[in-house]
Amino acid sequence: HVQLVESGGGSVQAGGSLRLSCAVSGISYSNYCMAWFRQAPGKEREGVAAIDSDGTTSYADSVKGRFTISQDNAKNTLYLQMNSLKPEDTAMYYCAAGWFVPRGADQALALSSYNYWGQGTQVTVS
């Protein structure tokens, strides 16, 4: 049974930082690609960052240089370190897992690539 539980969201001023966590159960990191998505009110859900089983990372252009995705296999936890936050980063952030090896950033950040989703954690930047 796959379960993804996000935490770490909150309210922060522009320029500040947050670290999101996703507790993962029921998945072997050797078989899955993990990612963070976000959805702002009235907008489609979009891929933010992904990391595959080899540790290869992919980022949306809007967050490159500011966000870092990482995973701690021993703790079964996925992280998203968010620095230099902007008001346009305000959204519900979701952890996702998919059973595939991405062949590029487009696939790694595509909504349709992922089978399992968490409930989300809200990030508000003012």
Side-chain angles (χ1 to χ4, degrees):
H1 176 66
V2 177
Q3 190 170 17
L4 308 174
V5 180
E6 302 95 336
S7 62
S11 297
V12 65
Q13 291 187 337
S17 298
L18 282 174
R19 188 176 79 157
L20 305 184
S21 299
C22 175
V24 181
S25 61
I27 293 176
S28 166
Y29 278 111
S30 62
N31 297 325
Y32 278 79
C33 189
M34 305 291 299
W36 288 95
F37 284 74
R38 67 185 181 187
Q39 187 167 18
K43 295 188 176 182
E44 294 185 351
R45 193 171 297 190
E46 62 174 358
V48 174
I51 184 167
D52 68 17
S53 56
D54 290 332
T56 301
T57 56
S58 301
Y59 295 94
D61 288 343
S62 59
V63 306
K64 281 181 182 176
R66 301 189 298 122
F67 290 11
T68 303
I69 188 171
S70 62
Q71 59 189 19
D72 185 332
N73 291 353
K75 295 182 179 180
N76 290 333
T77 303
L78 180 74
Y79 300 103
L80 184 68
Q81 178 66 44
M82 305 186 294
N83 299 328
S84 302
L85 282 161
K86 304 175 181 180
E88 50 263 45
D89 294 319
T90 295
M92 186 71 79
Y93 282 72
Y94 298 91
C95 175
W99 195 353
F100 70 104
V101 177
R103 284 171 282 188
D106 287 348
Q107 186 182 18
L109 297 176
L111 194 69
S112 59
S113 297
Y114 293 88
N115 310 103
Y116 304 102
W117 296 86
Q119 293 301 307
T121 185
Q122 177 68 38
V123 172
T124 302
V125 185
S126 59

